[in-house]
Amino acid sequence: MIVLTDKHFREQLFPFTHTRHAADIRIGILTIREKWEWLTGETVSIDETDHGLQIPANIIPTPDNFESILHAAGGHMVTGGALQVLGSAADIFLWNDTALRNDFKLITANRQSTPLSPTNKAIEPGNIFMEHGAVVEYSILNASTGPIYIGKNAVVMEGNMIRGPFSLGENSTLKMGSKIYGATTIGPNCVVGGEIKNSVLFGNSNKAHDGYLGDSVIGEWCNLGAGTCNSNVKNTGGPVRLYFGKGSEVVDAGNKAGLLMGDYSRAAINTSLNTGTVVGVCCNIFGEKMPAKFTENFTWGDERYIFDKAIIDIGNWKQMKGQQVSNEEVKMLRKLYDRDD
């Protein structure tokens, strides 16, 4: 059995590992745990008390390197296959291009795509794969720059322009007239629109209106209000440094970095987010001034979110997608809330 572990680097991947195991981070089309299961055909555990090969969950497995990772976990010499290891949350968007291409090969190997409707204009259609139930009409899909994957029952409305690599997850919707640049991943059950470039939405989140999202990572159950935009380049053109809270190391993300937003967080309409902004878990971003470049967990404007109110609000958003807040979520969030007090 493969056992994925994350206890030694959880804080490095803030804010996303405050609400999930590192193995459940989405990069490319699949989560890290799903990649292992596709590659090995086995169920993968995240219970570190299980007996099996202990593998750090921040190592991204690929068809070229997964066997050497398994050999190393078994005490054997690593042979072949370059490794990518998530050292900070910024690496999710920095390495999404490679992950998308690897996952596309893995998922589509020896499979037949659902035919693309003739209403579309496709460049290199052989590099486009549509799952059963996917609908794409009257759009331009350019797969010469990278593969395009449209998940089961996903919908691409009319008038979209998409450049790969790109993935639209199961039951997600790309609204009319959107402009999508690779490398972008939209996880399952999302609604997105506007202009998006080199970004990852884990799942169950919305960026449904006009506005720019670039070089960013958005967790689950998030919402970006209409007109919300982020900067991804400093006016100086210099390196972007990410701050993850008291006691953490500042991370140099290169000269482009946008928004990192933890689960259950939201931004009001027309919110302008600065280059390299980090938002924690369960935050409500609003106000007259530009938000801070770092927002702690459970922040409501400039105040502390009242816990019971936060849970009610999460429940309201989950109801819109036909779901409810689970007891496990409440316990997890309560623990995080009390820890931050």
Side-chain angles (χ1 to χ4, degrees):
M1 175 186 287
I2 294 172
V3 182
L4 298 177
T5 67
D6 72 351
K7 61 184 177 183
H8 297 301
F9 51 82
R10 289 185 63 81
E11 289 305 314
Q12 294 173 225
L13 298 174
F14 173 88
F16 306 111
T17 44
H18 275 193
T19 45
R20 66 175 50 72
H21 195 282
D24 294 321
I25 286 174
R26 187 176 304 280
I27 178 170
I29 300 172
L30 305 168
T31 66
I32 293 171
R33 190 201 312 223
E34 288 169 344
K35 295 181 204 298
W36 277 112
E37 291 177 341
W38 269 89
L39 288 162
T40 64
E42 299 177 9
T43 300
V44 173
S45 173
I46 58 171
D47 184 348
E48 297 185 13
T49 64
D50 284 342
H51 296 289
L53 291 175
Q54 302 270 324
I55 297 174
N58 61 338
I59 298 176
I60 302 172
T62 71
D64 294 329
N65 70 21
F66 83 98
E67 290 182 338
S68 64
I69 297 170
L70 293 175
H71 290 154
H76 304 290
M77 183 179 295
V78 176
T79 56
L83 294 184
Q84 286 188 320
V85 182
L86 295 179
S88 80
D91 290 336
I92 299 170
F93 73 79
L94 289 170
W95 296 341
N96 197 49
D97 187 295
T98 301
L100 270 166
R101 295 173 193 272
N102 285 329
D103 285 353
F104 184 85
K105 292 178 184 177
L106 180 64
I107 289 175
T108 65
N110 302 315
R111 298 179 61 213
Q112 186 71 38
S113 171
T114 296
L116 185 66
S117 167
T119 66
N120 299 287
K121 173 64 176 178
I123 304 171
E124 293 201 18
N127 217 16
I128 299 170
F129 192 95
M130 293 178 51
E131 297 285 2
H132 178 73
V135 177
V136 182
E137 297 289 354
Y138 292 98
S139 292
I140 301 171
L141 295 84
N142 182 0
S144 69
T145 54
I148 295 173
Y149 175 84
I150 310 297
K152 183 179 178 182
N153 297 325
V155 176
V156 176
M157 292 183 177
E158 306 82 64
N160 282 288
M161 296 180 287
I162 302 169
R163 287 173 63 91
F166 172 67
S167 170
L168 184 66
E170 183 173 344
N171 295 319
S172 286
T173 298
L174 180 60
K175 295 181 74 176
M176 292 190 295
S178 300
K179 295 178 285 187
I180 307 297
Y181 302 82
T184 291
T185 294
I186 308 301
N189 305 309
C190 293
V191 179
V192 297
E195 183 178 3
I196 306 176
K197 173 251 181 185
N198 192 36
S199 296
V200 178
L201 280 73
F202 283 1
N204 297 299
S205 290
N206 302 325
K207 182 218 169 296
H209 304 287
D210 286 342
Y212 177 72
L213 182 70
D215 300 290
S216 297
V217 183
I218 308 297
E220 292 199 70
W221 301 107
C222 296
N223 188 74
L224 301 181
T228 294
C229 292
N230 77 272
S231 167
N232 63 337
V233 180
K234 294 173 69 173
N235 284 344
T236 63
V240 182
R241 308 193 77 197
L242 299 172
Y243 175 68
F244 293 94
K246 187 184 299 183
S248 65
E249 293 186 6
V250 175
V251 172
D252 187 340
N255 66 355
K256 288 190 177 182
L259 168 66
L260 303 177
M261 176 177 273
D263 293 352
Y264 310 107
S265 289
R266 301 174 291 279
I269 62 169
N270 293 323
T271 301
S272 295
L273 296 154
N274 215 331
T275 317
T277 292
V278 178
V279 174
V281 173
C282 199
C283 298
N284 198 338
I285 306 296
F286 63 90
E288 295 180 358
K289 58 186 179 182
M290 180 171 282
K293 291 188 69 171
F294 175 75
T295 301
E296 295 182 350
N297 297 334
F298 296 99
T299 295
W300 169 277
D302 293 326
E303 302 176 7
R304 176 80 160 155
Y305 219 145
I306 297 171
F307 183 77
D308 290 343
K309 170 68 169 143
I311 296 302
I312 291 170
D313 293 346
I314 291 170
N316 291 337
W317 281 99
K318 295 196 78 168
Q319 273 190 335
M320 294 183 197
K321 294 183 184 287
Q323 298 192 42
Q324 295 180 330
V325 182
S326 68
N327 291 333
E328 290 75 17
E329 283 177 291
V330 175
K331 290 177 183 177
M332 177 266 295
L333 290 170
R334 179 83 248 186
K335 183 177 180 180
L336 181 60
Y337 190 89
D338 292 343
R339 192 197 78 168
D340 291 341
D341 267 346

Coordinates of all heavy atoms in Angstrom, one line a residue, residues 93 193 195-201 207 209-218 224-235 240 242 255-261 267-268 270-279 290-293:
F93 N 0.7 27.0 -9.1 CA 0.4 27.6 -10.4 C 1.7 27.6 -11.2 O 1.7 27.6 -12.4 CB -0.2 29.0 -10.2 CG 0.7 30.1 -9.7 CD1 1.7 30.7 -10.5 CD2 0.6 30.5 -8.4 CE1 2.5 31.7 -10.1 CE2 1.5 31.5 -7.9 CZ 2.4 32.1 -8.8
G193 N -15.9 32.6 -15.6 CA -16.0 33.4 -16.7 C -15.0 34.6 -16.7 O -14.2 34.6 -15.7
E195 N -11.7 36.7 -17.8 CA -10.3 36.4 -18.3 C -9.5 35.7 -17.2 O -9.4 36.2 -16.1 CB -9.6 37.7 -18.6 CG -8.2 37.5 -19.3 CD -7.6 38.8 -19.7 OE1 -8.2 39.9 -19.4 OE2 -6.5 38.8 -20.2
I196 N -9.0 34.5 -17.5 CA -8.3 33.7 -16.6 C -7.0 33.2 -17.3 O -7.0 32.7 -18.4 CB -9.1 32.4 -16.1 CG1 -10.4 32.9 -15.5 CG2 -8.3 31.6 -15.1 CD1 -11.3 31.7 -15.1
K197 N -5.9 33.2 -16.5 CA -4.6 32.8 -17.1 C -3.8 32.1 -16.0 O -3.6 32.6 -14.9 CB -3.9 34.1 -17.6 CG -2.4 33.8 -18.1 CD -1.4 34.4 -17.1 CE 0.0 34.2 -17.6 NZ 1.0 34.7 -16.6
N198 N -3.2 30.9 -16.4 CA -2.3 30.2 -15.5 C -2.8 30.2 -14.1 O -2.0 30.5 -13.1 CB -0.9 30.9 -15.6 CG 0.2 30.0 -15.0 OD1 0.1 28.8 -15.1 ND2 1.1 30.6 -14.3
S199 N -4.0 29.7 -13.9 CA -4.6 29.6 -12.5 C -5.2 28.2 -12.3 O -5.5 27.5 -13.2 CB -5.6 30.7 -12.4 OG -5.0 32.0 -12.4
V200 N -5.4 27.9 -11.0 CA -6.0 26.7 -10.6 C -7.1 27.0 -9.6 O -6.9 27.7 -8.6 CB -4.9 25.8 -9.9 CG1 -5.6 24.5 -9.4 CG2 -3.8 25.4 -10.8
L201 N -8.3 26.5 -9.9 CA -9.4 26.5 -9.0 C -9.7 25.0 -8.6 O -10.0 24.2 -9.4 CB -10.7 27.1 -9.6 CG -10.8 28.6 -9.7 CD1 -9.9 29.2 -10.8 CD2 -12.3 29.0 -10.0
K207 N -15.9 32.0 -10.2 CA -15.4 33.3 -10.7 C -16.3 33.5 -11.9 O -15.8 33.3 -13.0 CB -13.9 33.3 -11.0 CG -13.4 34.6 -11.5 CD -12.4 34.5 -12.6 CE -12.1 35.8 -13.2 NZ -13.2 36.4 -13.9
H209 N -17.9 36.0 -13.4 CA -18.2 37.2 -14.1 C -16.9 37.8 -14.7 O -15.8 37.2 -14.5 CB -18.9 38.2 -13.2 CG -20.1 37.7 -12.6 ND1 -21.3 37.6 -13.3 CD2 -20.4 37.3 -11.3 CE1 -22.3 37.1 -12.6 NE2 -21.7 36.9 -11.3
D210 N -17.0 38.9 -15.4 CA -15.8 39.6 -15.9 C -14.9 40.0 -14.8 O -15.3 40.2 -13.7 CB -16.2 40.8 -16.7 CG -16.8 40.4 -18.1 OD1 -16.6 39.3 -18.5 OD2 -17.5 41.3 -18.6
G211 N -13.6 40.1 -15.2 CA -12.5 40.4 -14.2 C -11.4 39.5 -14.5 O -11.6 38.4 -15.2
Y212 N -10.2 39.9 -14.1 CA -9.0 39.1 -14.4 C -8.5 38.3 -13.2 O -8.4 38.8 -12.1 CB -7.9 40.1 -14.8 CG -6.6 39.4 -15.1 CD1 -6.4 38.6 -16.3 CD2 -5.5 39.5 -14.3 CE1 -5.2 37.9 -16.5 CE2 -4.3 38.8 -14.5 CZ -4.1 38.1 -15.7 OH -3.0 37.4 -15.9
L213 N -8.2 37.0 -13.5 CA -7.5 36.2 -12.5 C -6.3 35.6 -13.2 O -6.4 34.8 -14.2 CB -8.5 35.1 -12.1 CG -7.9 34.1 -11.0 CD1 -7.8 34.8 -9.7 CD2 -8.8 32.9 -10.9
G214 N -5.1 35.8 -12.6 CA -3.9 35.3 -13.3 C -2.9 34.9 -12.3 O -2.7 35.5 -11.2
D215 N -2.2 33.8 -12.6 CA -1.1 33.2 -11.8 C -1.5 33.1 -10.3 O -0.9 33.6 -9.4 CB 0.2 34.1 -11.9 CG 0.7 34.2 -13.3 OD1 1.2 33.2 -13.8 OD2 0.5 35.3 -13.9
S216 N -2.7 32.4 -10.2 CA -3.4 32.3 -8.9 C -3.8 30.9 -8.6 O -3.9 30.0 -9.5 CB -4.6 33.2 -8.9 OG -4.2 34.6 -9.1
V217 N -4.1 30.7 -7.3 CA -4.7 29.4 -6.9 C -5.9 29.7 -5.9 O -5.7 30.5 -5.0 CB -3.7 28.5 -6.1 CG1 -4.3 27.2 -5.7 CG2 -2.4 28.3 -6.9
I218 N -7.0 29.1 -6.3 CA -8.2 29.4 -5.5 C -8.7 28.0 -4.9 O -8.8 27.0 -5.7 CB -9.4 30.0 -6.4 CG1 -8.9 31.2 -7.1 CG2 -10.6 30.3 -5.5 CD1 -8.4 32.4 -6.2
L224 N -15.5 34.8 -6.2 CA -15.0 36.1 -6.5 C -16.1 36.9 -7.2 O -16.6 36.5 -8.2 CB -13.8 35.9 -7.5 CG -12.6 35.1 -7.0 CD1 -11.5 35.1 -8.0 CD2 -12.1 35.7 -5.7
G225 N -16.5 38.0 -6.6 CA -17.6 38.8 -7.1 C -17.3 39.4 -8.4 O -16.2 39.5 -8.9
A226 N -18.4 39.9 -9.1 CA -18.3 40.5 -10.4 C -17.3 41.6 -10.4 O -17.3 42.5 -9.5 CB -19.6 41.0 -10.9
G227 N -16.4 41.6 -11.4 CA -15.5 42.7 -11.6 C -14.2 42.6 -10.7 O -13.3 43.4 -10.8
T228 N -14.1 41.5 -9.9 CA -12.9 41.3 -9.1 C -11.7 41.0 -10.0 O -11.8 40.2 -10.9 CB -13.1 40.2 -8.1 OG1 -14.1 40.6 -7.2 CG2 -11.9 39.8 -7.4
C229 N -10.6 41.7 -9.7 CA -9.4 41.5 -10.5 C -8.2 41.3 -9.6 O -8.2 41.9 -8.5 CB -9.1 42.6 -11.4 SG -10.3 42.8 -12.8
N230 N -7.2 40.6 -10.0 CA -5.9 40.6 -9.3 C -4.8 41.1 -10.2 O -4.8 40.9 -11.4 CB -5.6 39.2 -8.7 CG -5.0 38.3 -9.8 OD1 -5.8 37.6 -10.4 ND2 -3.7 38.2 -9.9
S231 N -3.8 41.7 -9.6 CA -2.5 42.0 -10.2 C -1.6 40.8 -10.1 O -1.6 40.1 -9.1 CB -1.9 43.3 -9.6 OG -0.5 43.4 -10.1
N232 N -0.9 40.5 -11.2 CA 0.1 39.5 -11.1 C 1.5 39.9 -11.3 O 2.5 39.1 -11.3 CB -0.3 38.3 -12.0 CG -0.2 38.8 -13.5 OD1 -0.3 39.9 -13.8 ND2 -0.1 37.8 -14.4
V233 N 1.7 41.2 -11.6 CA 3.1 41.8 -11.9 C 3.2 43.1 -11.1 O 2.3 43.9 -11.2 CB 3.3 42.0 -13.4 CG1 4.7 42.5 -13.6 CG2 3.1 40.7 -14.2
K234 N 4.3 43.3 -10.5 CA 4.6 44.6 -9.8 C 4.9 45.6 -10.8 O 5.4 45.4 -11.9 CB 5.8 44.4 -8.8 CG 5.5 43.5 -7.7 CD 6.7 43.2 -6.8 CE 7.2 44.5 -6.1 NZ 8.3 44.1 -5.2
N235 N 4.5 46.9 -10.5 CA 4.8 48.0 -11.4 C 6.3 48.1 -11.7 O 6.7 48.6 -12.7 CB 4.3 49.3 -10.8 CG 2.8 49.4 -11.0 OD1 2.2 48.7 -11.7 ND2 2.2 50.3 -10.2
V240 N 8.2 39.0 -7.0 CA 7.0 39.0 -6.1 C 7.3 38.2 -4.9 O 7.7 37.0 -5.1 CB 5.8 38.5 -6.8 CG1 4.6 38.7 -5.9 CG2 5.5 39.3 -8.1
L242 N 5.9 36.5 -1.4 CA 4.7 36.1 -0.8 C 4.9 35.9 0.7 O 5.9 35.3 1.2 CB 4.2 34.8 -1.4 CG 3.9 34.8 -2.9 CD1 3.6 33.4 -3.3 CD2 2.7 35.7 -3.2
N255 N 8.7 36.7 -11.0 CA 8.2 38.0 -11.3 C 6.7 38.1 -11.6 O 6.2 39.1 -12.0 CB 9.0 38.7 -12.5 CG 8.8 37.9 -13.8 OD1 8.1 36.9 -13.8 ND2 9.3 38.5 -14.9
K256 N 6.0 36.9 -11.4 CA 4.6 36.9 -11.6 C 3.9 36.0 -10.5 O 4.3 34.8 -10.4 CB 4.2 36.3 -13.0 CG 4.5 37.3 -14.1 CD 3.8 36.8 -15.4 CE 4.1 37.8 -16.6 NZ 3.4 37.3 -17.8
A257 N 3.0 36.6 -9.8 CA 2.2 35.9 -8.8 C 1.0 36.7 -8.5 O 1.1 37.9 -8.3 CB 3.0 35.6 -7.5
G258 N -0.1 36.0 -8.4 CA -1.4 36.7 -8.2 C -2.0 36.5 -6.9 O -1.5 37.0 -5.8
L259 N -3.1 35.7 -6.8 CA -3.9 35.5 -5.6 C -3.8 34.0 -5.1 O -4.0 33.1 -5.9 CB -5.3 35.9 -5.8 CG -6.4 35.5 -4.8 CD1 -6.1 36.3 -3.5 CD2 -7.8 35.8 -5.4
L260 N -3.5 33.8 -3.9 CA -3.7 32.5 -3.2 C -4.8 32.6 -2.2 O -4.6 33.4 -1.2 CB -2.3 32.1 -2.6 CG -1.1 32.0 -3.5 CD1 0.1 31.6 -2.6 CD2 -1.3 31.0 -4.6
M261 N -5.9 31.9 -2.4 CA -7.1 32.1 -1.6 C -7.5 30.7 -1.0 O -7.7 29.8 -1.7 CB -8.2 32.7 -2.4 CG -9.5 32.8 -1.6 SD -10.9 33.6 -2.5 CE -10.5 35.3 -2.1
A267 N -14.7 37.3 -2.1 CA -14.3 38.7 -2.3 C -15.5 39.4 -2.9 O -16.2 38.9 -3.8 CB -13.1 38.8 -3.2
A268 N -15.8 40.6 -2.4 CA -17.0 41.4 -2.9 C -16.8 41.8 -4.3 O -15.7 41.8 -4.9 CB -17.2 42.6 -2.0
N270 N -16.0 44.0 -7.6 CA -15.1 45.0 -7.9 C -13.9 45.1 -6.9 O -13.3 46.1 -6.7 CB -15.7 46.4 -8.0 CG -16.7 46.5 -9.2 OD1 -16.4 45.9 -10.2 ND2 -17.8 47.1 -9.0
T271 N -13.6 44.0 -6.3 CA -12.4 43.9 -5.4 C -11.1 43.9 -6.2 O -11.0 43.2 -7.2 CB -12.4 42.7 -4.5 OG1 -13.6 42.7 -3.7 CG2 -11.2 42.6 -3.6
S272 N -10.2 44.8 -5.9 CA -8.9 44.9 -6.5 C -7.8 44.3 -5.6 O -7.7 44.8 -4.5 CB -8.5 46.3 -6.9 OG -9.4 46.8 -7.8
L273 N -7.2 43.2 -6.0 CA -6.3 42.5 -5.2 C -4.8 42.7 -5.7 O -4.6 42.6 -6.9 CB -6.6 41.0 -5.2 CG -8.0 40.7 -4.6 CD1 -8.6 39.4 -5.1 CD2 -7.9 40.6 -3.1
N274 N -4.0 43.0 -4.8 CA -2.6 43.4 -5.2 C -1.8 42.2 -5.6 O -2.2 41.0 -5.4 CB -1.9 44.0 -4.0 CG -0.9 45.1 -4.4 OD1 -0.4 45.1 -5.5 ND2 -0.8 46.1 -3.5
T275 N -0.6 42.4 -6.2 CA 0.3 41.4 -6.6 C 0.7 40.6 -5.4 O 1.0 41.1 -4.4 CB 1.5 42.0 -7.3 OG1 1.2 43.1 -8.1 CG2 2.3 41.0 -8.0
G276 N 0.6 39.2 -5.5 CA 1.1 38.4 -4.5 C 0.3 38.4 -3.2 O 0.8 38.5 -2.1
T277 N -1.1 38.4 -3.4 CA -2.0 38.5 -2.2 C -2.3 37.1 -1.7 O -2.5 36.2 -2.5 CB -3.3 39.2 -2.5 OG1 -3.0 40.6 -2.8 CG2 -4.3 39.1 -1.4
V278 N -2.2 36.9 -0.4 CA -2.5 35.6 0.3 C -3.7 35.8 1.2 O -3.7 36.6 2.1 CB -1.3 35.1 1.0 CG1 -1.7 33.7 1.7 CG2 -0.1 34.9 0.1
V279 N -4.8 35.0 1.0 CA -6.0 35.1 1.8 C -6.2 33.7 2.5 O -6.1 32.7 1.8 CB -7.2 35.4 0.9 CG1 -8.5 35.3 1.7 CG2 -7.1 36.8 0.3
M290 N -7.9 49.0 -0.7 CA -7.4 47.7 -1.3 C -7.1 46.8 -0.1 O -6.4 47.1 0.9 CB -6.1 48.0 -2.1 CG -5.5 46.8 -2.7 SD -4.2 47.2 -3.9 CE -5.1 47.6 -5.3
P291 N -7.5 45.5 -0.3 CA -7.2 44.5 0.8 C -5.7 44.4 1.1 O -4.8 44.6 0.2 CB -7.8 43.2 0.2 CG -8.8 43.7 -0.8 CD -8.2 44.9 -1.4
A292 N -5.4 44.0 2.3 CA -4.0 43.7 2.7 C -3.4 42.5 1.8 O -4.2 41.7 1.3 CB -3.9 43.3 4.1
K293 N -2.1 42.5 1.7 CA -1.5 41.4 0.9 C -1.5 40.1 1.7 O -1.2 39.1 1.1 CB -0.1 41.8 0.5 CG 0.0 42.9 -0.5 CD 1.3 43.2 -1.1 CE 1.8 42.1 -1.9 NZ 3.1 42.4 -2.6

